[in-house]
């Protein structure tokens, strides 16, 4: 239905890049922009987390290097936490009909 993008190195703003520390939990707020859908009773949502959506968006070599000019890449492994200490969630506003 819709996708959003958050480049991890710019998770604190675009003024400067901060690389991710492996094993450290980080918060991401990902805007799905303007979307309007009607969900009927019984409908379900699926959330997919990926490290890249190339070629729709810029490629990600997962090295912290120059994604535009470098050619060496590594496989990234994503972990989505969803326990009491890390309440991952999707916010869906309800618009009255």
């Amino acid at each position: 239905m819709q996708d959003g993008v958050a480049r991890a190195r710019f998770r604190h703003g675009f003024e400067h890049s901060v690389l991710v520390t492996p094993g450290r939990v980080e918060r991401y707020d990902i805007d799905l922009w303007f979307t309007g859908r009607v969900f009927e009773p019984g409908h379900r949502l699926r959330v997919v987390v990926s490290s890249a959506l190339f070629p729709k968006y810029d490629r990600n070599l997962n090295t912290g290097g120059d994604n535009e000019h470098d050619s060496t890449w590594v496989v990234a492994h994503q972990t989505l936490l969803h326990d009491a200490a890390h309440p991952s969630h999707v916010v869906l506003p309800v618009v009255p009909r």
Side-chain angles (χ1 to χ4, degrees):
M1 274 200 263
Q2 188 68 333
D3 51 37
V5 176
R7 178 72 73 183
R9 68 172 56 198
F10 297 115
R11 67 195 175 281
H12 301 298
F14 291 108
E15 296 78 32
H16 60 282
S17 72
V18 179
L19 297 181
V20 173
T21 301
R24 181 175 174 186
V25 176
E26 295 284 352
R27 177 189 171 113
Y28 295 89
D29 293 315
I30 302 172
D31 189 350
L32 297 181
W33 302 298
F34 302 105
T35 302
R37 298 284 191 262
V38 174
F39 295 100
E40 299 294 340
H43 281 182
R44 298 184 297 174
L45 294 176
R46 177 176 63 187
V47 176
V48 177
V49 177
S50 170
S51 19
L53 187 54
F54 181 78
K56 185 173 182 178
Y57 298 108
D58 293 338
R59 67 187 187 150
N60 187 350
L61 301 176
N62 303 310
T63 63
D66 183 342
N67 287 317
E68 191 172 329
H69 297 103
D70 292 350
S71 60
T72 302
W73 58 273
V74 297
V75 174
H77 300 279
Q78 311 299 337
T79 301
L80 182 64
L81 302 175
H82 53 92
D83 57 19
H86 308 92
S88 297
H89 60 279
V90 176
V91 176
L92 298 174
V94 176
V95 179
R97 290 186 187 200

